[in-house]
Short mmCIF file of all heavy atoms in Angstrom, two decimals:
data_model
loop_
_atom_site.label_atom_id
_atom_site.label_comp_id
_atom_site.label_asym_id
_atom_site.label_seq_id
_atom_site.Cartn_x
_atom_site.Cartn_y
_atom_site.Cartn_z
N ALA A 9 66.33 21.95 2.33
CA ALA A 9 66.24 22.67 3.61
C ALA A 9 65.25 21.99 4.53
O ALA A 9 65.55 21.70 5.71
CB ALA A 9 65.86 24.12 3.37
N LEU A 10 64.06 21.69 4.02
CA LEU A 10 63.05 21.07 4.87
C LEU A 10 63.42 19.63 5.20
O LEU A 10 63.30 19.19 6.36
CB LEU A 10 61.68 21.13 4.20
CG LEU A 10 60.54 20.67 5.13
CD1 LEU A 10 60.37 21.64 6.30
CD2 LEU A 10 59.24 20.52 4.40
N LYS A 11 63.89 18.91 4.22
CA LYS A 11 64.27 17.49 4.42
C LYS A 11 65.31 17.39 5.50
O LYS A 11 65.25 16.53 6.41
CB LYS A 11 64.78 16.89 3.11
CG LYS A 11 65.16 15.42 3.18
CD LYS A 11 65.51 14.90 1.80
CE LYS A 11 65.81 13.39 1.79
NZ LYS A 11 67.04 13.05 2.48
N GLY A 12 66.34 18.25 5.45
CA GLY A 12 67.39 18.21 6.46
C GLY A 12 66.89 18.51 7.84
O GLY A 12 67.28 17.82 8.82
N LEU A 13 66.01 19.47 7.95
CA LEU A 13 65.48 19.83 9.30
C LEU A 13 64.58 18.72 9.82
O LEU A 13 64.59 18.40 11.01
CB LEU A 13 64.72 21.15 9.22
CG LEU A 13 65.59 22.39 9.07
CD1 LEU A 13 64.70 23.64 8.83
CD2 LEU A 13 66.45 22.62 10.29
N VAL A 14 63.75 18.15 8.94
CA VAL A 14 62.89 17.05 9.38
C VAL A 14 63.72 15.89 9.91
O VAL A 14 63.41 15.33 10.97
CB VAL A 14 61.97 16.59 8.20
CG1 VAL A 14 61.24 15.30 8.61
CG2 VAL A 14 60.98 17.67 7.84
N GLU A 15 64.75 15.53 9.19
CA GLU A 15 65.58 14.39 9.59
C GLU A 15 66.36 14.73 10.88
O GLU A 15 66.55 13.86 11.73
CB GLU A 15 66.53 14.02 8.47
CG GLU A 15 65.79 13.40 7.28
CD GLU A 15 66.68 13.16 6.06
OE1 GLU A 15 67.89 13.54 6.13
OE2 GLU A 15 66.19 12.59 5.09
N GLN A 16 66.77 15.98 11.02
CA GLN A 16 67.47 16.38 12.25
C GLN A 16 66.57 16.23 13.47
O GLN A 16 67.03 15.99 14.57
CB GLN A 16 67.97 17.82 12.09
CG GLN A 16 69.03 18.25 13.10
CD GLN A 16 68.42 18.76 14.41
OE1 GLN A 16 67.30 19.29 14.41
NE2 GLN A 16 69.14 18.61 15.50
N HIS A 17 65.25 16.38 13.24
CA HIS A 17 64.30 16.26 14.34
C HIS A 17 63.75 14.84 14.48
O HIS A 17 62.84 14.59 15.27
CB HIS A 17 63.15 17.24 14.13
CG HIS A 17 63.48 18.65 14.46
ND1 HIS A 17 62.98 19.32 15.54
CD2 HIS A 17 64.32 19.56 13.83
CE1 HIS A 17 63.48 20.55 15.60
NE2 HIS A 17 64.27 20.71 14.55
N GLY A 18 64.33 13.91 13.72
CA GLY A 18 63.98 12.51 13.86
C GLY A 18 62.81 12.04 13.01
O GLY A 18 62.27 10.95 13.24
N GLY A 19 62.44 12.82 12.01
CA GLY A 19 61.33 12.43 11.14
C GLY A 19 61.79 12.13 9.73
O GLY A 19 62.98 12.05 9.46
N LYS A 20 60.81 11.97 8.84
CA LYS A 20 61.09 11.69 7.44
C LYS A 20 60.12 12.49 6.58
O LYS A 20 58.89 12.43 6.81
CB LYS A 20 60.99 10.21 7.12
CG LYS A 20 61.35 9.88 5.67
CD LYS A 20 61.30 8.37 5.46
CE LYS A 20 61.68 8.05 3.99
NZ LYS A 20 61.63 6.58 3.72
N MET A 21 60.63 13.18 5.58
CA MET A 21 59.77 13.93 4.68
C MET A 21 59.18 12.95 3.66
O MET A 21 59.91 12.16 3.06
CB MET A 21 60.58 15.02 3.97
CG MET A 21 59.72 16.01 3.20
SD MET A 21 60.66 17.47 2.69
CE MET A 21 61.45 16.85 1.20
N LYS A 22 57.85 13.01 3.47
CA LYS A 22 57.16 12.01 2.64
C LYS A 22 56.70 12.54 1.27
O LYS A 22 56.56 11.75 0.33
CB LYS A 22 55.97 11.44 3.38
CG LYS A 22 56.28 10.77 4.70
CD LYS A 22 57.04 9.48 4.50
CE LYS A 22 57.28 8.74 5.82
NZ LYS A 22 56.04 8.28 6.49
N HIS A 23 56.41 13.83 1.19
CA HIS A 23 55.83 14.31 -0.05
C HIS A 23 56.20 15.77 -0.34
O HIS A 23 56.82 16.43 0.49
CB HIS A 23 54.29 14.17 -0.02
CG HIS A 23 53.61 15.04 0.99
ND1 HIS A 23 53.43 14.69 2.31
CD2 HIS A 23 53.03 16.30 0.88
CE1 HIS A 23 52.80 15.65 2.96
NE2 HIS A 23 52.56 16.65 2.08
N VAL A 24 55.81 16.21 -1.53
CA VAL A 24 56.02 17.59 -1.97
C VAL A 24 54.73 18.12 -2.58
O VAL A 24 54.15 17.47 -3.43
CB VAL A 24 57.16 17.70 -3.02
CG1 VAL A 24 57.31 19.12 -3.51
CG2 VAL A 24 58.46 17.16 -2.46
N LYS A 25 54.30 19.27 -2.10
CA LYS A 25 53.15 19.95 -2.70
C LYS A 25 53.54 21.38 -3.01
O LYS A 25 53.72 22.19 -2.11
CB LYS A 25 51.93 19.91 -1.75
CG LYS A 25 50.74 20.69 -2.36
CD LYS A 25 49.63 20.88 -1.34
CE LYS A 25 48.64 21.91 -1.84
NZ LYS A 25 47.58 22.17 -0.83
N PRO A 26 53.71 21.73 -4.29
CA PRO A 26 54.02 23.11 -4.64
C PRO A 26 52.96 24.05 -4.11
O PRO A 26 51.78 23.68 -3.97
CB PRO A 26 54.06 23.09 -6.17
CG PRO A 26 54.36 21.67 -6.52
CD PRO A 26 53.66 20.86 -5.46
N HIS A 27 53.36 25.28 -3.82
CA HIS A 27 52.44 26.27 -3.25
C HIS A 27 51.97 27.27 -4.26
O HIS A 27 52.69 27.68 -5.18
CB HIS A 27 53.16 27.03 -2.12
CG HIS A 27 52.43 28.26 -1.66
ND1 HIS A 27 51.35 28.21 -0.81
CD2 HIS A 27 52.63 29.58 -1.95
CE1 HIS A 27 50.91 29.44 -0.58
NE2 HIS A 27 51.67 30.30 -1.28
N GLY A 28 50.70 27.70 -4.10
CA GLY A 28 50.18 28.87 -4.79
C GLY A 28 50.37 28.88 -6.30
O GLY A 28 49.97 27.97 -7.02
N ALA A 29 50.99 29.96 -6.76
CA ALA A 29 51.18 30.14 -8.19
C ALA A 29 52.06 29.05 -8.81
O ALA A 29 51.87 28.66 -9.96
CB ALA A 29 51.80 31.51 -8.48
N LEU A 30 53.00 28.53 -8.04
CA LEU A 30 53.86 27.46 -8.54
C LEU A 30 53.03 26.19 -8.78
O LEU A 30 53.20 25.50 -9.77
CB LEU A 30 54.98 27.17 -7.57
CG LEU A 30 56.01 26.11 -7.99
CD1 LEU A 30 56.72 26.52 -9.27
CD2 LEU A 30 57.04 25.89 -6.87
N TYR A 31 52.12 25.89 -7.87
CA TYR A 31 51.21 24.73 -7.99
C TYR A 31 50.39 24.86 -9.27
O TYR A 31 50.30 23.94 -10.07
CB TYR A 31 50.32 24.71 -6.77
CG TYR A 31 49.31 23.58 -6.67
CD1 TYR A 31 49.59 22.44 -5.92
CD2 TYR A 31 48.07 23.67 -7.28
CE1 TYR A 31 48.65 21.41 -5.77
CE2 TYR A 31 47.13 22.66 -7.15
CZ TYR A 31 47.45 21.51 -6.40
OH TYR A 31 46.50 20.52 -6.28
N ASN A 32 49.76 26.03 -9.45
CA ASN A 32 48.88 26.21 -10.61
C ASN A 32 49.65 26.23 -11.92
O ASN A 32 49.22 25.64 -12.92
CB ASN A 32 48.07 27.50 -10.46
CG ASN A 32 47.10 27.44 -9.28
OD1 ASN A 32 46.52 26.39 -9.02
ND2 ASN A 32 46.91 28.54 -8.58
N THR A 33 50.80 26.89 -11.93
CA THR A 33 51.58 27.01 -13.15
C THR A 33 52.13 25.65 -13.59
O THR A 33 52.23 25.37 -14.79
CB THR A 33 52.76 27.99 -12.95
OG1 THR A 33 52.24 29.24 -12.50
CG2 THR A 33 53.52 28.19 -14.24
N ALA A 34 52.46 24.81 -12.64
CA ALA A 34 53.06 23.51 -12.95
C ALA A 34 52.14 22.67 -13.83
O ALA A 34 52.63 21.86 -14.63
CB ALA A 34 53.39 22.76 -11.66
N TYR A 35 50.85 22.83 -13.69
CA TYR A 35 49.92 22.01 -14.46
C TYR A 35 49.35 22.75 -15.67
O TYR A 35 48.43 22.31 -16.30
CB TYR A 35 48.82 21.49 -13.50
CG TYR A 35 49.50 20.79 -12.35
CD1 TYR A 35 49.57 21.39 -11.10
CD2 TYR A 35 50.23 19.60 -12.53
CE1 TYR A 35 50.28 20.78 -10.06
CE2 TYR A 35 50.92 19.00 -11.50
CZ TYR A 35 50.95 19.60 -10.27
OH TYR A 35 51.67 19.00 -9.25
N GLN A 36 50.01 23.89 -15.98
CA GLN A 36 49.68 24.66 -17.18
C GLN A 36 50.88 24.77 -18.11
O GLN A 36 50.74 24.84 -19.32
CB GLN A 36 49.19 26.07 -16.79
CG GLN A 36 47.89 26.05 -15.96
CD GLN A 36 47.58 27.42 -15.39
OE1 GLN A 36 48.35 28.36 -15.53
NE2 GLN A 36 46.46 27.51 -14.70
#
């Protein structure tokens, strides 16, 4: 969803950072 919108606006998505509980859980 984000990648498509970024490209539609002429940009490029460079990275991914999980948010909140997903971020913390991913490294546990």
